[in-house]
Amino acid sequence: MQSGITVSKELQDAFKELVATSSQRGIIATISSEALIPQHTLPSKSTDFVDDLSALTPLLSTTAASYIILRRYQNAPDGYVAITYIPDTAPVRQKMLFASTRLTLVRELGAERFRESLFVTEMKELEKEGWEKHDAHGALSAPLTEEEENLKGIKEAEAEAKGGTEGRRLETGGKLSIATSTEARQAIGMFRVGEGGNLLQLNINVKDETIELVGSSSTDADGLARAISNTEPRYSFFRYSHQIEASEQSPIVFIYTCPAGSKIKERMVYASTKQGFLAAMSSDMGVEIAKKLEISSPSEVTRSTLEEEFRPKQEQKQGFSRPKRPGKR
């Protein structure tokens, strides 16, 4: 979903100044009057990126979203990182607006300038330890980190926009690029912030190569088999509310169903699209998926199936075994 909000001239000028001067480390931006505007400037007191981080969090709010642009790699043309900071306590509409505008920020300032693009919900992720965890995760994702994959998708989205293709196209593992309808992206944004029900269903229009919205609804774990089609493939997202050790939890489960009677082309398209689409759900839309299920029939998804998936692993303790006596048994 594109929000229609654009980067203001003030933010464009502020970014140009950031690029031109070494006395600044970054910019904090927000949305006001249908435009992206600069809110704060983060000074640079050291050539070490980490040394300047302590001045960042005091400029942020625990209840309001912000965009953060930081110079991370000194003297590199693409040495900047774009961060979408959306705390869990931010208003629901603000969450949706910032999530749907993050691509615009990078695209209009120049995707070639940004080596990384991050989505965070807590200030601690922007502190030294948070960056260390981020770097460690990136190293495991070589040769392309999740952020580099995201930027790749942004650049392709820009190319598609110039070509006039409706919907944003997502890179899917290098096998095919598929568009996502505006209605689908809007429903994903609402689902992420807990609106529109706890079950979101999407399908792929194979002819048009577009991910489309089937619908949003509410059901419990026992009703999943009835709610999901048993004749057509589906990408379904279910918010599974349950208790573990008296703690209420609501993780998101991705369920890919592909009934036995599905056409061969449908099977191929759904299978080759899945991995890249899920990566985009996380990096682009900020949907964190706790479990992934791939099944043939919706009837295989039951309450007991989900309970088993989320049941805490019990550590098996093995007692001391007395050695057997030698000789005859």
Side-chain angles (χ1 to χ4, degrees), residues 59-71:
L59 300 176
L60 303 175
S61 168
T62 57
T63 58
S66 295
Y67 294 116
I68 306 161
I69 302 168
L70 298 176
R71 179 194 289 109

Side-chain angles (χ1 to χ4, degrees), residues 165-294:
T165 301
E166 183 179 359
R168 180 175 177 272
R169 302 192 74 81
L170 303 173
E171 180 63 25
T172 55
K175 295 183 179 179
L176 86 101
S177 178
I178 192 160
T180 306
S181 72
T182 299
E183 291 77 12
R185 291 181 66 79
Q186 195 167 22
I188 292 168
M190 293 180 66
F191 179 80
R192 179 189 175 277
V193 296
E195 292 191 348
N198 64 352
L199 176 63
L200 170 67
Q201 296 188 64
L202 307 173
N203 66 1
I204 298 179
N205 183 324
V206 177
K207 181 180 178 181
D208 296 335
E209 291 191 356
T210 305
I211 292 177
E212 298 179 342
L213 174 66
V214 174
S216 299
S217 60
S218 294
T219 185
D220 57 17
D222 291 324
L224 279 173
R226 296 187 298 274
I228 300 174
S229 172
N230 61 5
T231 59
E232 298 178 351
R234 288 282 189 273
Y235 289 160
S236 301
F237 297 86
F238 178 60
R239 183 172 282 103
Y240 175 48
S241 298
H242 65 290
Q243 284 193 340
I244 295 181
E245 298 177 351
S247 174
E248 186 70 26
Q249 300 186 19
S250 299
I252 295 174
V253 183
F254 170 72
I255 306 168
Y256 166 40
T257 50
C258 189
S262 302
K263 298 177 181 178
I264 294 177
K265 186 173 182 179
E266 286 180 331
R267 291 173 176 271
M268 292 176 61
V269 172
Y270 274 83
S272 61
T273 300
K274 175 174 62 64
Q275 183 175 350
F277 177 63
L278 290 179
M281 285 286 289
S282 175
S283 62
D284 181 14
M285 297 297 293
V287 177
E288 297 301 326
I289 298 168
K291 296 285 183 179
K292 302 171 187 176
L293 303 179
E294 295 188 25

Side-chain angles (χ1 to χ4, degrees), residues 68-202:
I68 306 161
I69 302 168
L70 298 176
R71 179 194 289 109
R72 188 175 185 197
Y73 304 97
Q74 205 73 18
N75 301 321
D78 64 341
Y80 299 86
V81 53
I83 304 165
T84 303
Y85 165 66
I86 305 180
D88 292 334
T89 52
V92 171
R93 291 188 180 277
Q94 188 181 76
K95 288 180 179 180
M96 294 177 61
L97 189 60
F98 272 72
S100 62
T101 307
R102 63 190 299 233
L103 289 174
T104 300
L105 176 74
V106 174
R107 184 176 65 244
E108 293 194 12
L109 291 180
E112 72 282 356
R113 286 287 189 183
F114 295 90
R115 191 177 301 188
E116 298 172 291
S117 179
L118 308 180
F119 189 104
V120 302
T121 59
E122 298 180 89
M123 287 189 191
K124 65 181 182 180
E125 297 176 72
L126 300 171
E127 297 172 353
K128 179 182 177 181
E129 293 76 12
W131 285 97
E132 289 173 348
K133 289 181 180 179
H134 161 66
D135 290 342
H137 172 75
L140 292 174
S141 302
L144 287 181
T145 66
E146 184 179 23
E147 290 72 36
E148 287 169 337
E149 289 283 6
N150 187 34
L151 284 179
K152 182 180 179 183
I154 291 172
K155 292 172 183 177
E156 288 178 350
E158 182 178 8
E160 289 293 339
K162 290 179 180 178
T165 301
E166 183 179 359
R168 180 175 177 272
R169 302 192 74 81
L170 303 173
E171 180 63 25
T172 55
K175 295 183 179 179
L176 86 101
S177 178
I178 192 160
T180 306
S181 72
T182 299
E183 291 77 12
R185 291 181 66 79
Q186 195 167 22
I188 292 168
M190 293 180 66
F191 179 80
R192 179 189 175 277
V193 296
E195 292 191 348
N198 64 352
L199 176 63
L200 170 67
Q201 296 188 64
L202 307 173

